[in-house]
Amino acid sequence: MRIFGHEIMKKTFKSFSGRITRSVVITVLVTMTIISVLVSLLAASGIYSLTKSHFTDLTDKANESITLMMSMVEVSSENIIDELSWHLSSPELVSSTLEYELNTNRHLTGCAVGFVPEYFPEEGRWFEPYALNGPDGIICKWIGSEKHDYLQSEWYREGLDSPNGVWTNPYLDADGAGTVLCTFTRQLREPGGQVAGVLGADIALDGLYSLIEEIDRKENEESDILTWYYEYEDDPIYSFIIGPDGTYIVHPDKGRILKGTFYDYAGPENTSEYRKLGDAMLAGKRGDAMVKLDGIWSYVFYAPLRHSGWSMGIAVPVDVITAPGYAYGFTILFLILIGLLIVFLISRHRIKKATAPLISLAASAEEVAKGRFDTELPDIRTRDEIRLLRDSFDNMQKSLSEHIRILTETTAQKASMENELAVARKIQMSMLPMTWPAFPERPDLDIFGSITPARAVGGDLFDLQIRDGKLFFCIGDVSGKGIPASLVMTVVSSLFRTLSKSEDSPSRIVSSLNSTLSSRNESLMFVTLFAGALDLETGELLYTNAGHNTPIIIRNGNPVMLEADSNIPIGIMGDWKYSLQKTELEPGTVLFLYTDGLTEATREGGELFGEERVLKHLYGHGNDLTSRDFITEMTQAVNAFVGDAEQSDDLTMMVVKLSRG
């Protein structure tokens, strides 16, 4: 009955907004029309020249940013040359110097030295150490060979003739950085003055692309406000850079980069203007010109890039230049405020009278906001929006009461679920070996493990048991997190414990686990796993790695990665043949196992803990620490690194330390 009456009233009421609109619309219309005409005439004559000046300044600023980037590379190369000239006594010293300098100059993508033939006789004709600033840290490698003959490369030949350095054209470095680079190359001389080789300081064009794209993005965001009525397939404003021969080095259309020259894209209707612009840019001039680019008449503001022989241009459609003079200006804002003030003074009295019933409704709404949902609403007899608002408040009262009831039930359900997760965590932890020392009857064996789930339950696991004088152990990481991962972890842990009671070979244990998990893996989850069998009398360690993080062996305080084959995780291919490897653990040797929750622990800002920090914290330790102390110190190091950042993955570590004889 209420709904039916509500629909009838909507057809018969006199609009509240209509009563106000009739009072103000004529005044607003006349005032705004006069103001708009006056402001358009005033702005059109001045904004056009200001807009052109803006893009001229933008070209200069972009030029300065790019030139600064390239100047930093040139300065860095000077410092690296000075340092290298005193460290040419051995190939290893050259590589370590490159690694140190690249770590100091993080703005460089890579750094290489191409030595003259037979400079280091023991290295043969080609010797080219290369340091790369990779995502996981500095990577050093020697890439010179007959196949990679850097002696014939552009950067080497030009650098050999350039004691003060020269920039190369962009090129794809497949053997070094694996991306498109631009190299500042110059001679490397011994302290006595003899030429030893050529230094190449690399920057990836991706950084240059990002800088140009950010400039274009900001300009297009501003221009979109003023040119919304024009339709462009892509952003109307874009920047580009061409090399000394007109080759595109930077362009929004990646298909043009290094594959064509500026002149190749001149339309037939404006070939002359287009060529004049190209000639001016290649001649190192600065200025602006209006040409037709890809079918759109545009202004091109251009200037040379110092040191490189390149030239940069910013293409701006003519409409973007002219539109602000007619569509935008601070004057129009000022005049609109005057018009609104006039409208306000005329309409204030009538609006105040028309909205008087809202006062009593607001008082009732305030009581409802305090939680008194049974507050009686005022009786409003007018047939307008105020009456509709009153009925809406009435419906809101009922909805809020129902919502609070549902929220109370939901809160109780959530508390019950949290209790169940707590029980599940206790059950999962009880399945892991958490009693230390694990084998008190073996004083020659020192083992300790820990697991810290990222959620209430997790997917990491480790297990161990002794049979026939051998220690069988494993550590693993289930893909995913939470309850699904914990269920898979429970299955894998149980199967490992069962299989290791009768099977001696870790490869066959892992193969059986893989076959079982793959046959019923509808959820497509997989497990990285490292399994080992350690002979406690001889120290022989048999092991199989199924895609897991490589363990670390610490001998005499020196941590090194255990040599492990790259097998796939279990649960992916049921017929995969897992390799069996072996090594020997001498007395006092420490075996450190962990999951990727250690190396991928992340602090605020996205920086990872990484393998290098793991090795650094393990260095120098051996018999001076117990297995528990190893894990305690590593846990403290990770927590100090991460700080207040939220734990993103399960963290599991295990240490095996054997002392015999």
Side-chain angles (χ1 to χ4, degrees):
M1 185 67 182
R2 175 183 293 274
I3 297 177
F4 177 78
H6 185 70
E7 294 297 326
I8 294 297
M9 188 192 70
K10 289 173 65 177
K11 296 180 180 180
T12 59
F13 78 135
K14 295 181 180 179
S15 173
F16 171 73
S17 60
R19 297 203 307 270
I20 296 180
T21 302
R22 282 193 298 270
S23 301
V24 300
V25 67
I26 296 177
T27 303
V28 171
L29 181 60
V30 173
T31 304
M32 292 301 102
T33 299
I34 296 173
I35 291 175
S36 297
V37 171
L38 292 175
V39 171
S40 295
L41 293 175
L42 291 173
S45 61
I47 299 300
Y48 175 78
S49 59
L50 292 176
T51 305
K52 287 190 63 176
S53 176
H54 164 75
F55 285 107
T56 300
D57 293 341
L58 177 64
T59 303
D60 292 337
K61 291 179 180 178
N63 189 304
E64 292 174 2
S65 298
I66 297 172
T67 301
L68 177 61
M69 177 189 297
M70 303 178 76
S71 296
M72 290 175 63
V73 176
E74 296 177 16
V75 172
S76 297
S77 70
E78 179 69 26
N79 297 333
I80 296 173
I81 284 286
D82 292 341
E83 190 68 20
L84 281 172
S85 64
W86 297 100
H87 296 84
L88 298 175
S89 57
S90 69
E92 290 76 15
L93 190 57
V94 172
S95 295
S96 62
T97 302
L98 283 179
E99 180 179 3
Y100 172 81
E101 290 297 327
L102 190 60
N103 189 55
T104 303
N105 299 275
R106 301 308 292 261
H107 55 277
L108 296 179
T109 301
C111 192
V113 177
F115 284 90
V116 297
E118 307 292 338
Y119 186 84
F120 293 105
E122 68 274 15
E123 299 300 334
R125 176 178 175 80
W126 299 277
F127 180 61
E128 182 189 3
Y130 185 79
L132 174 65
N133 217 335
D136 298 324
I138 307 300
I139 301 172
C140 290
K141 49 187 175 179
W142 296 356
I143 60 177
S145 65
E146 183 177 1
K147 181 180 180 181
H148 179 72
D149 188 2
Y150 63 87
L151 299 175
Q152 306 302 321
S153 65
E154 178 186 3
W155 72 271
Y156 178 86
R157 289 185 283 106
E158 292 185 0
L160 201 60
D161 299 328
S162 303
N164 296 322
V166 63
W167 282 96
T168 68
N169 289 321
Y171 63 96
L172 175 62
D173 184 13
D175 295 325
T179 187
V180 178
L181 300 176
C182 190
T183 300
F184 183 73
T185 176
R186 59 178 297 171
Q187 289 179 358
L188 170 62
R189 292 179 176 269
E190 297 177 351
Q194 182 180 355
V195 175
V198 175
L199 170 71
D202 301 331
I203 56 172
L205 286 191
D206 290 343
L208 192 56
Y209 296 157
S210 300
L211 177 61
I212 294 298
E213 288 174 356
E214 180 62 16
I215 293 173
D216 292 348
R217 182 189 64 80
K218 290 182 178 179
E219 287 304 310
N220 280 299
E221 286 179 354
E222 296 178 4
S223 67
D224 286 345
I225 299 175
L226 302 175
T227 58
W228 55 269
Y229 47 88
Y230 294 101
E231 294 183 0
Y232 298 101
E233 293 182 2
D234 300 305
D235 288 334
I237 301 174
Y238 68 88
S239 303
F240 64 91
I241 297 176
I242 59 176
D245 58 353
T247 302
Y248 275 112
I249 296 174
V250 175
H251 194 279
D253 182 4
K254 299 299 189 294
R256 301 187 183 186
I257 298 175
L258 304 183
K259 296 180 180 179
T261 68
F262 179 81
Y263 300 101
D264 294 336
Y265 299 93
E269 69 276 16
N270 68 328
T271 302
S272 176
E273 294 85 355
Y274 201 97
R275 181 165 294 276
K276 288 179 181 178
L277 173 60
D279 293 342
M281 294 182 70
L282 296 184
K285 297 180 180 179
R286 61 184 299 114
D288 62 85
M290 188 171 71
V291 296
K292 201 168 189 179
L293 297 178
D294 301 324
I296 300 176
W297 282 103
S298 304
Y299 277 99
V300 177
F301 301 87
Y302 58 92
L305 297 176
R306 294 187 294 275
H307 309 301
S308 64
W310 302 350
S311 183
M312 175 183 176
I314 298 181
V316 185
V318 173
D319 292 328
V320 175
I321 300 289
T322 58
Y326 300 96
Y328 190 77
F330 289 106
T331 305
I332 195 170
L333 295 177
F334 176 74
L335 294 177
I336 287 175
L337 289 176
I338 295 177
L340 292 177
L341 178 61
I342 296 173
V343 172
F344 171 77
L345 294 175
I346 296 176
S347 305
R348 181 169 180 266
H349 175 72
R350 299 198 59 182
I351 293 176
K352 183 177 180 180
K353 181 178 180 181
T355 56
L358 290 173
I359 298 176
S360 57
L361 183 59
S364 299
E366 183 70 21
E367 294 299 314
V368 173
K370 295 178 181 179
R372 303 185 182 97
F373 301 123
D374 57 348
T375 300
E376 184 177 353
L377 299 177
D379 183 18
I380 298 176
R381 300 182 178 277
T382 57
R383 296 181 177 272
D384 54 21
E385 287 91 339
I386 297 180
R387 174 61 182 274
L388 292 175
L389 182 61
R390 187 266 180 205
D391 292 344
S392 296
F393 269 107
D394 186 34
N395 292 331
M396 183 185 68
Q397 283 181 294
K398 297 180 176 63
S399 297
L400 284 173
S401 298
E402 179 65 16
H403 176 72
I404 290 177
R405 183 188 65 79
I406 295 175
L407 183 61
T408 302
E409 295 178 356
T410 302
T411 302
Q413 293 174 358
K414 182 179 179 181
S416 175
M417 183 179 297
E418 291 176 350
N419 291 334
E420 292 176 357
L421 284 174
V423 173
R425 178 185 175 91
K426 292 180 180 179
I427 295 174
Q428 183 185 24
M429 292 296 103
S430 67
M431 298 186 66
L432 300 173
M434 287 298 178
T435 301
W436 312 106
F439 307 105
E441 72 280 4
R442 297 299 301 249
D444 58 333
L445 185 62
D446 183 9
I447 301 178
F448 188 78
S450 72
I451 181 169
T452 306
R455 300 182 181 178
V457 291
D460 280 7
L461 66 110
F462 69 90
D463 207 345
L464 46 93
Q465 63 175 320
I466 293 179
R467 174 177 62 80
D468 300 332
K470 294 182 179 180
L471 171 67
F472 294 86
F473 63 92
C474 72
I475 187 170
D477 185 0
V478 182
S479 63
K481 300 179 182 67
I483 293 178
S486 70
L487 294 176
V488 177
M489 166 265 180
T490 303
V491 172
V492 173
S493 181
S494 300
L495 287 173
F496 175 82
R497 181 169 288 271
T498 300
L499 291 169
S500 60
K501 288 181 179 179
S502 58
E503 179 58 65
D504 292 336
S505 172
S507 64
R508 288 196 290 270
I509 293 175
V510 174
S511 296
S512 298
L513 284 168
N514 180 50
S515 177
T516 301
L517 191 62
S518 299
S519 63
R520 298 181 179 180
N521 192 11
E522 296 180 358
S523 61
L524 301 178
M525 300 183 74
F526 60 85
V527 183
T528 65
L529 188 73
F530 182 90
L534 175 63
D535 191 315
L536 299 178
E537 298 300 325
T538 65
E540 181 183 61
L541 173 63
L542 300 178
Y543 61 91
T544 294
N545 185 33
H548 195 72
N549 298 81
T550 305
I552 299 173
I553 291 183
I554 309 172
R555 293 186 175 97
N556 299 322
N558 184 30
V560 295
M561 291 293 181
L562 177 66
E563 182 178 346
D565 293 338
S566 298
N567 294 297
I568 66 173
I570 64 175
I572 298 177
M573 294 176 61
D575 57 353
W576 183 267
K577 303 300 182 183
Y578 288 91
S579 59
L580 178 66
Q581 297 175 267
K582 69 178 180 178
T583 188
E584 184 175 348
L585 301 185
E586 298 83 0
T589 300
V590 177
L591 182 64
F592 180 73
L593 306 101
Y594 58 94
T595 63
D596 59 7
L598 175 61
T599 55
E600 295 180 4
T602 307
R603 64 167 37 154
E604 292 182 358
E607 183 180 2
L608 302 181
F609 191 69
E611 290 182 353
E612 289 187 5
R613 286 189 176 87
V614 175
L615 293 171
K616 177 181 177 181
H617 286 287
L618 293 176
Y619 183 80
H621 294 302
N623 293 323
D624 60 325
L625 293 180
T626 65
S627 58
R628 182 188 293 269
D629 292 336
F630 268 102
I631 292 181
T632 299
E633 288 200 1
M634 188 61 70
T635 302
Q636 292 172 349
V638 172
N639 291 338
F641 173 80
V642 172
D644 296 331
E646 182 180 358
Q647 181 180 347
S648 60
D649 198 1
D650 303 336
L651 174 59
T652 302
M653 295 178 284
M654 185 168 68
V655 172
V656 178
K657 184 178 180 182
L658 180 63
S659 59
R660 309 188 309 278

